[in-house]
Amino acid sequence: MKIGILGYGNLGRGVECAIRQNPDAVLSAVFTRRNPADVKILTEGVPVLSVDDAEKMKDEIDVLIICGGSATDLPVQTPKYAQYFNVIDSFDTHAKIPEHFANVDNSAKKGGKTAIISVGWDPGMFSLARMYANAILTDGCDYTFWGRGVSQGHSDAIRRIDGVVDARQYTVPVKEAVDAVRAGENPALTTRQKHTRECYVVAEDGADLAKIEREIKTMPNYFTDYDTTVYFISEEELKANHSAIPHGGSVIRSGKTGMNGENGHVIEYSLKLDSNPEFTASVLVAYARAVCRMNKEGMTGCKTVFDVPPAYLSAMSGEELRKKLL
Amino acid sequence: MKIGILGYGNLGRGVECAIRQNPDAVLSAVFTRRNPADVKILTEGVPVLSVDDAEKMKDEIDVLIICGGSATDLPVQTPKYAQYFNVIDSFDTHAKIPEHFANVDNSAKKGGKTAIISVGWDPGMFSLARMYANAILTDGCDYTFWGRGVSQGHSDAIRRIDGVVDARQYTVPVKEAVDAVRAGENPALTTRQKHTRECYVVAEDGADLAKIEREIKTMPNYFTDYDTTVYFISEEELKANHSAIPHGGSVIRSGKTGMNGENGHVIEYSLKLDSNPEFTASVLVAYARAVCRMNKEGMTGCKTVFDVPPAYLSAMSGEELRKKLL
């Protein structure tokens, strides 16, 4: 399958790496909003083109993986390109998924193309874990814990504070809460009881540290509902110890079966990721395979991970899968 | 959906319980090889019929869940009934799946029916976990650990030894091995390094305990390759402490991404089950929903969990799923 990448940040670079790990995938072009001459990619011999030239390439690309941000890029880009290409995105604004789905569906159907939105690990693999577990254990409770990992959104929020040069925020699940859920205790947990937040902040020389710390801890939505710890560190320390982008977490469903709910069960899906964007990219490339197959079979319009038969993600045949992995 | 149960042992009873937890499912009949008058089921008003009468009910049942054993029942029953009914089974003899698949496929296609074989947790949910993880992390290692839980096959093997009245065998994963795998160390593990076996044995009065213990520990395939511990206990103790049928385990894949495999990732799917048959039954009922939908859409023949779009398992609509679980 010939893959195009639209947007060359951490995620786009991750997709480029993932393509090299899939012998049936080829990178055909990278599209950027920057000046193409300024963008150096890792793969030799592959053109970097202006995003304005993307449509011209529509017959040379089997699937376009759109690597923009969910806030402003994807709501525009995915519907726009879904009429010309089979597309995949990692749209992750949970509350706006129904609206995004409708827009992309409309556009993809118009062009006879197939789109899969909200692919990655959450939404994505975590959604699948929630869905399968809910279908199996109909009487139960769901829990999702994130981390320990870097939250890009929270790091950005800190960086916008006056006097902050750079920052890295880690979301950390509360061990006692995770243990209670794993033990099948079905605890009722507040936001504060589930996660804590750790902030590593580089401040400007002479900045009012106490004020920065107060602004972080009282920031609505982002920090007020959490126990937050702020560490001021040097730029060198940030670079040395906090430049990786790890993440992960667990989806746990605990439920009951039996005539009187006498038996308890715990289903857990968990991820420990050294690189959030590279793992997300690996999921995107597996779904790129699925989107090509679904389009060939005439399944057009917008889909999500819930609609994709698992076998479509794999390079193995049905026969091989049954023999080796069933 | 109107469900028939064929075979009323632990698994059949589990399916009966699971049906009560799914408002869109109704139990229509239980078919047994025993004298129907001798079989008391948990649900009032539902007929218990001879297995010989099953075919007569073919227009009154949407899906038949076949709850026989994999050794001799399912290889005959599933192909037989797949021409009359949409069927689900939990065939778990991994090496014989390709052959069973071909037989069931042939029969289901002849009757225009849909069959899903090897549904449960392994094969079943564990297979899905292996498959998704393999599609995402193409460069990695797979590990499956089972337990701590009761292995019916190993318990039966002990019961066949002279002088043994009853027995319960627990498969136990080796903690150090699981920890190393979770840490992403990709260890090479022998059979002995992955699991130990604990046997609780009730012996006849005056039996030669040393001989029984020796026979267990040296039994080929079942015990020789494992560190096995044998405890002789009283019948009362077995009944009091070992009558539950818990099981579970973990599927772990650990792999690398990046230009030079510089980032490691660990995907884990794990189950802790108080009742192995009731959990398996809950999976079967979710797939019963899928088999009905697939048949209505004209997708006939034999399928496995790899072929079923996840959304087909859920009672929720696509719209609800996207809103609530994506």
Side-chain angles (χ1 to χ4, degrees):
Chain A
M1 52 179 169
K2 291 173 284 180
I3 295 179
I5 294 172
L6 197 152
Y8 194 70
N10 284 331
L11 185 58
R13 241 188 323 271
V15 170
E16 183 181 15
C17 291
I19 288 171
R20 301 165 75 103
Q21 294 189 301
N22 287 274
D24 60 339
V26 173
L27 178 60
S28 292
V30 170
F31 302 102
T32 179
R33 284 180 295 199
R34 291 176 271 169
N35 177 2
D38 295 343
V39 175
K40 291 275 158 289
I41 67 169
L42 306 166
T43 316
E44 279 182 33
V46 171
V48 178
L49 305 170
S50 162
V51 71
D52 301 326
D53 294 329
E55 291 156 46
K56 295 178 200 158
M57 293 280 285
K58 74 189 176 65
D59 297 325
E60 278 140 90
I61 284 173
D62 295 317
V63 52
L64 185 66
I65 302 183
I66 306 180
C67 300
S70 292
T72 56
D73 299 336
L74 298 177
V76 177
Q77 292 174 339
T78 313
K80 176 175 175 183
Y81 292 104
Q83 53 186 312
Y84 306 114
F85 297 94
N86 298 317
V87 297
I88 305 272
D89 80 16
S90 60
F91 185 75
D92 68 358
T93 313
H94 291 261
K96 292 189 177 167
I97 286 174
E99 182 189 339
H100 187 57
F101 181 90
N103 293 339
V104 175
D105 191 49
N106 192 26
S107 166
K109 278 181 177 155
K110 216 180 286 174
K113 297 294 178 186
T114 308
I116 310 182
I117 60 161
S118 302
V119 175
W121 60 275
D122 196 1
M125 300 314 295
F126 272 19
S127 319
L128 279 175
R130 281 188 283 267
M131 205 234 83
Y132 276 116
N134 270 267
I136 296 167
L137 295 177
T138 56
D139 176 15
C141 297
D142 286 312
Y143 298 88
T144 303
F145 293 99
W146 293 275
R148 186 176 193 260
V150 172
S151 163
Q152 214 55 58
H154 288 79
S155 302
D156 288 344
I158 299 172
R159 282 188 207 106
R160 285 190 294 263
I161 293 173
D162 234 32
V164 170
V165 176
D166 203 349
R168 198 74 81 251
Q169 195 269 183
Y170 294 89
T171 305
V172 186
V174 175
K175 192 182 173 304
E176 292 71 25
V178 179
D179 288 347
V181 170
R182 281 190 182 138
E185 294 169 17
N186 286 5
L189 297 167
T190 63
T191 298
R192 191 176 301 275
Q193 287 169 321
K194 281 188 281 192
H195 298 92
T196 58
R197 300 198 176 278
E198 285 175 16
C199 313
Y200 294 82
V201 181
V202 180
E204 281 169 12
D205 274 352
D208 182 343
L209 302 188
K211 183 164 170 280
I212 290 173
E213 180 165 346
R214 202 165 51 239
E215 280 190 48
I216 294 172
K217 291 186 170 178
T218 57
M219 199 185 295
N221 302 318
Y222 287 87
F223 293 100
T224 37
D225 296 337
Y226 299 85
D227 289 340
T228 301
T229 317
V230 177
Y231 303 95
F232 289 98
I233 61 175
S234 69
E235 204 154 359
E236 294 68 43
E237 203 181 330
L238 189 87
K239 207 174 163 188
N241 301 333
H242 304 282
S243 51
I245 349 184
H247 219 314
S250 299
V251 168
I252 304 174
R253 184 166 174 87
S254 146
K256 301 284 182 193
T257 65
M259 277 301 273
N260 304 296
E262 61 272 29
N263 288 309
H265 308 277
V266 180
I267 304 175
E268 176 167 356
Y269 180 80
S270 68
L271 296 172
K272 273 184 291 204
L273 314 176
D274 277 356
S275 164
N276 182 353
E278 284 182 11
F279 185 83
T280 300
S282 298
V283 181
L284 291 170
V285 171
Y287 276 93
R289 187 176 289 121
V291 92
C292 291
R293 290 180 178 172
M294 292 173 90
N295 188 261
K296 269 186 199 137
E297 296 184 5
M299 300 153 92
T300 57
C302 190
K303 313 286 174 190
T304 73
V305 294
F306 298 147
D307 305 306
V308 181
Y312 282 46
L313 305 190
S314 173
M316 289 190 216
S317 70
E319 208 169 353
E320 259 183 295
L321 285 176
R322 287 191 293 274
K323 202 169 163 185
K324 293 184 183 161
L325 297 177
L326 195 65
Chain B
M1 51 180 169
K2 289 173 286 180
I3 295 179
I5 295 173
L6 197 152
Y8 194 71
N10 284 331
L11 185 58
R13 242 188 322 273
V15 170
E16 184 181 14
C17 292
I19 288 171
R20 300 165 75 103
Q21 293 188 302
N22 286 273
D24 60 340
V26 173
L27 178 59
S28 292
V30 170
F31 301 102
T32 179
R33 284 180 295 199
R34 291 176 271 170
N35 176 3
D38 295 343
V39 176
K40 291 275 157 289
I41 66 169
L42 305 166
T43 315
E44 280 182 33
V46 171
V48 179
L49 304 171
S50 162
V51 71
D52 301 326
D53 294 329
E55 290 157 47
K56 294 179 200 157
M57 293 281 284
K58 72 188 177 66
D59 296 326
E60 277 140 89
I61 284 171
D62 295 317
V63 53
L64 185 67
I65 302 183
I66 306 180
C67 300
S70 292
T72 55
D73 299 334
L74 298 177
V76 177
Q77 292 174 338
T78 314
K80 176 174 176 184
Y81 292 104
Q83 53 186 312
Y84 306 113
F85 297 93
N86 297 318
V87 297
I88 305 272
D89 80 16
S90 60
F91 186 76
D92 68 358
T93 313
H94 290 260
K96 293 189 176 167
I97 286 174
E99 182 189 338
H100 187 57
F101 181 90
N103 293 339
V104 176
D105 191 48
N106 192 27
S107 166
K109 278 181 178 155
K110 215 179 285 174
K113 298 294 178 187
T114 309
I116 310 181
I117 61 161
S118 302
V119 175
W121 60 275
D122 195 2
M125 301 314 295
F126 271 19
S127 320
L128 279 174
R130 282 188 283 266
M131 205 234 82
Y132 276 117
N134 271 268
I136 296 167
L137 294 177
T138 56
D139 176 15
C141 297
D142 286 313
Y143 298 88
T144 302
F145 293 100
W146 293 274
R148 185 176 194 260
V150 172
S151 163
Q152 215 54 57
H154 288 79
S155 302
D156 288 344
I158 299 172
R159 283 188 207 105
R160 285 191 294 263
I161 294 173
D162 234 31
V164 170
V165 176
D166 203 351
R168 199 73 83 251
Q169 194 268 183
Y170 294 88
T171 306
V172 185
V174 175
K175 194 183 174 303
E176 292 70 25
V178 180
D179 287 348
V181 170
R182 281 191 181 138
E185 294 169 16
N186 287 2
L189 297 167
T190 63
T191 298
R192 193 177 299 276
Q193 288 170 322
K194 280 189 279 192
H195 297 93
T196 58
R197 300 199 175 278
E198 286 175 16
C199 313
Y200 294 83
V201 182
V202 180
E204 281 169 12
D205 273 353
D208 182 344
L209 302 189
K211 183 163 171 278
I212 291 173
E213 179 164 347
R214 204 166 50 240
E215 280 190 46
I216 294 173
K217 291 185 170 177
T218 58
M219 199 185 294
N221 301 320
Y222 286 88
F223 293 101
T224 36
D225 296 338
Y226 299 85
D227 289 339
T228 301
T229 317
V230 177
Y231 303 96
F232 289 99
I233 61 174
S234 68
E235 204 155 359
E236 295 67 42
E237 203 181 331
L238 190 87
K239 208 176 162 188
N241 301 333
H242 303 283
S243 51
I245 348 183
H247 219 314
S250 299
V251 168
I252 305 174
R253 185 167 174 87
S254 145
K256 302 282 181 195
T257 65
M259 277 301 274
N260 303 297
E262 61 272 28
N263 288 309
H265 309 278
V266 180
I267 305 175
E268 175 168 356
Y269 180 79
S270 69
L271 297 172
K272 272 184 292 205
L273 314 176
D274 277 356
S275 164
N276 182 353
E278 285 182 10
F279 186 82
T280 301
S282 298
V283 181
L284 291 171
V285 171
Y287 276 92
R289 188 176 289 121
V291 92
C292 291
R293 290 180 179 170
M294 292 172 90
N295 188 261
K296 269 186 198 137
E297 296 183 6
M299 300 152 94
T300 58
C302 189
K303 313 286 174 190
T304 73
V305 295
F306 297 148
D307 305 306
V308 181
Y312 282 45
L313 305 191
S314 175
M316 290 189 216
S317 69
E319 208 170 353
E320 258 183 296
L321 286 175
R322 288 190 292 275
K323 202 169 163 187
K324 293 184 183 162
L325 297 177
L326 197 63

